[in-house]
Amino acid sequence: MSADISDLSLVRRVQRGDKGAFDALVLKYQHKLVKLVMRYVRNPAEAEDIAQEAFIKAYRALPQFRGDSAFYTWLYRIAINTAKNAVVSRDRSPIEYDLDRNNTDESYDMQGRMKDSETPEGLVLTDEIRSTVNAAIDALPEDLRTAIVLRELEGLSYEEIAATMDCPVGTVRSRIFRAREAIDRRLREVFEGGLGRVEELG
Amino acid sequence: MNEELDSQLSAMFDNELPAAECELLARRLSRDEQLKARWGRYAVIGATIRAEGGVRLNAPLASRVSAAIASEPALAAEAAPQPRKRIENRWWQPVASAAAVAGVAAGAILWMRTQSSDLTPAVAQTTPVVPAMAALGNIPVSTVAQVNTGEPETYVVPRLPTHRRLVVPSTELANYVVAHSEFSSPVARRNLLSSFMATESGTAGASGGSEEITEDVQDDAKTPQ
């Protein structure tokens, strides 16, 4: 099976004018892309801005994507170039100091520049999501936990997991699905009940 | 939600779903917000397992990108006008081609007429001129008489003679140049004499001036213009 088959089917839909299919690609790769960009910039909020710019550039360049390489390889290349350019332009721009500003203005400005991710609420929710997912993984039966960890942490294909766990590929698919369902049940509660920010998922 | 559908979604997320099923599910995924939210949570689970520190798991990045993309033109809509543009631009191409060909042809005819009028001013005249042309001795009457058969008026455009005749016989001119050699430079004298020699050798190859022109006219008469 092609390693990129589902991405490619989504990409083809976007190329035919279906913007909703691009949402699915963004949802799938946003965390990986932000993590990648954070190798160049330390600030998570800035990394998110760069990742957003990279996604928009990728969308505009998608008519030229022929599928010769995997979509995520192509997307990562765009993100790396965008991050490098952002670092260069940031280094060139002078740092502005406003000495006349009083303490009140300064504190207000700091608050205004603070992104959602840096707000206590955002940080609490991220921590809550992490702890919920980790607790759910710990509660999984061993065969389900092994299957999902081999898939997500090691990046093994279903066939490789089947060889490792000495079971059919169909069983691997079922185990991974059941593991996700079990984790998702608890995660959904966090998103729907937790801080009322379900619409900001993703 | 359908368990089979969720199972397919999980396999699709891992790029492990057969292509035919992928096509169908991709279509549904792009439209079904509930399915898309589940897909997004699968990504959050993966990010947590990989312990992607520093990455905000509830970041509104996807909704920001989606809002930005909403203001962009759809890709298929961008690509669509191109073939239409080609069709719109295509109608004048045959007209332009025909105009270019007609222009070249008209230019060629005008040029040929100008060239031939330099040689014989009465070249495009009709039947009444024929005896006069025959009287010149350059064109046999039999050839020109083909035109004078009571048929509609036609034009006969004779070709240029291959070699222009010298007004002064070359031998006399050569003698003149040699006799006045003391007044001319050696280079100019040599050039003039060599050109005489070339002319003489060219005309020596041909059987005669009048016959040569006759052949040309006969060739033209074969293809009425």
Side-chain angles (χ1 to χ4, degrees):
Chain A
M1 192 170 299
S2 167
D4 198 33
I5 189 73
S6 76
D7 289 352
L8 207 55
S9 59
L10 288 167
V11 164
R12 296 292 176 237
R13 290 202 66 79
V14 182
Q15 286 174 330
R16 291 197 293 266
D18 184 353
K19 291 180 182 177
F22 195 73
D23 291 343
L25 289 166
V26 176
L27 284 169
K28 185 176 179 179
Y29 289 114
Q30 58 173 331
H31 306 111
K32 288 181 179 175
L33 217 62
V34 171
K35 182 72 183 169
L36 177 76
V37 172
M38 282 183 72
R39 292 181 194 168
Y40 299 88
V41 292
R42 297 286 177 201
N43 184 348
E46 194 182 355
E48 280 174 20
D49 289 345
I50 292 169
Q52 180 183 344
E53 192 184 338
F55 274 121
I56 293 166
K57 279 183 182 175
Y59 176 79
R60 288 174 182 158
L62 217 50
Q64 283 82 51
F65 178 74
R66 291 171 302 176
D68 295 338
S69 62
F71 171 73
Y72 64 83
T73 312
W74 181 77
L75 179 65
Y76 284 10
R77 216 158 34 221
I78 292 173
I80 287 170
N81 288 338
T82 308
K84 283 179 178 174
N85 290 341
V87 168
V88 169
S89 61
R90 186 191 58 189
D91 289 348
R92 279 180 189 163
S93 59
I95 301 166
E96 290 176 10
Y97 296 99
D98 193 348
L99 299 175
D100 295 333
R101 201 172 268 182
N102 61 35
N103 288 338
T104 315
D105 286 345
E106 201 169 287
S107 60
Y108 174 79
D109 189 45
M110 285 293 287
Q111 208 170 13
R113 284 163 65 181
M114 197 181 277
K115 302 268 176 161
D116 286 348
S117 60
E118 295 160 297
T119 60
E121 188 183 288
L123 293 172
V124 166
L125 189 55
T126 296
D127 286 345
E128 193 176 343
I129 290 167
R130 282 212 177 91
S131 60
T132 302
V133 171
N134 286 327
I137 289 168
D138 289 342
L140 287 173
E142 194 180 335
D143 54 348
L144 300 193
R145 188 170 58 237
T146 306
I148 189 80
V149 168
L150 285 177
R151 173 62 213 166
E152 292 289 4
L153 194 62
E154 305 297 333
L156 297 188
S157 69
Y158 283 9
E159 209 173 305
E160 289 167 331
I161 295 169
T164 306
M165 296 183 75
D166 195 23
C167 65
V169 171
T171 305
V172 171
R173 174 175 154 165
S174 170
R175 283 175 181 173
I176 290 173
F177 161 62
R178 283 192 285 136
R180 280 190 176 129
E181 281 302 287
I183 301 165
D184 186 52
R185 262 196 299 274
R186 297 174 71 167
L187 191 57
R188 208 162 45 216
E189 288 170 14
V190 175
F191 276 101
E192 287 173 0
L195 307 176
R197 294 183 65 177
V198 65
E199 71 283 354
E200 286 195 359
L201 170 67
Chain B
M1 196 169 289
N2 186 338
E3 192 175 299
E4 176 55 30
L5 183 68
D6 291 344
S7 169
Q8 283 183 325
L9 190 71
S10 170
M12 185 174 169
F13 190 85
D14 294 331
N15 280 311
E16 295 278 358
L17 195 66
E21 292 176 51
C22 261
E23 288 295 322
L24 293 171
L25 196 55
R27 185 193 297 175
R28 184 158 181 181
L29 179 60
S30 66
R31 295 169 187 175
D32 189 333
E33 291 303 317
Q34 212 177 344
L35 207 61
K36 218 184 272 184
R38 183 181 292 263
W39 174 273
R41 287 195 299 270
Y42 284 175
V44 170
I45 292 167
T48 307
I49 292 173
R50 287 188 298 275
E52 289 172 344
V55 177
R56 191 164 57 131
L57 297 172
N58 61 316
L61 179 58
S63 51
R64 277 162 54 191
V65 172
S66 185
I69 296 298
S71 61
E72 298 269 329
L75 297 182
E78 270 182 344
Q82 289 177 350
R84 203 162 140 202
K85 211 177 205 176
R86 277 190 208 128
I87 292 165
E88 282 169 0
N89 290 343
R90 214 176 285 158
W91 69 268
W92 56 265
Q93 287 179 355
V95 179
S97 304
V101 169
V104 170
I109 289 167
L110 285 171
W111 179 79
M112 285 174 69
R113 283 190 178 178
T114 311
Q115 292 296 310
S116 55
S117 65
D118 287 349
L119 180 70
T120 52
V123 81
Q125 289 184 7
T126 52
T127 46
V129 184
V130 171
M133 287 174 71
L136 289 172
N138 289 338
I139 304 167
V141 177
S142 60
T143 307
V144 181
Q146 291 174 2
V147 181
N148 192 14
T149 54
E151 291 177 359
E153 295 176 347
T154 54
Y155 286 89
V156 177
V157 183
R159 283 184 189 164
L160 277 172
T162 314
H163 307 290
R164 290 184 182 277
R165 292 173 177 281
L166 293 169
V167 180
V168 183
S170 55
T171 317
E172 288 176 26
L173 196 57
N175 290 338
Y176 179 83
V177 170
V178 171
H180 293 80
S181 58
E182 60 184 307
F183 301 111
S184 60
S185 72
V187 175
R189 198 165 57 242
R190 198 179 307 126
N191 288 342
L192 200 56
L193 288 172
S194 60
S195 72
F196 290 155
M197 286 170 71
T199 309
E200 285 296 317
S201 61
T203 48
S207 55
S210 62
E211 284 177 19
E212 196 178 309
I213 292 173
T214 306
E215 281 172 14
D216 290 342
V217 173
Q218 280 173 341
D219 286 345
D220 287 334
K222 286 173 192 169
T223 53
Q225 314 211 353

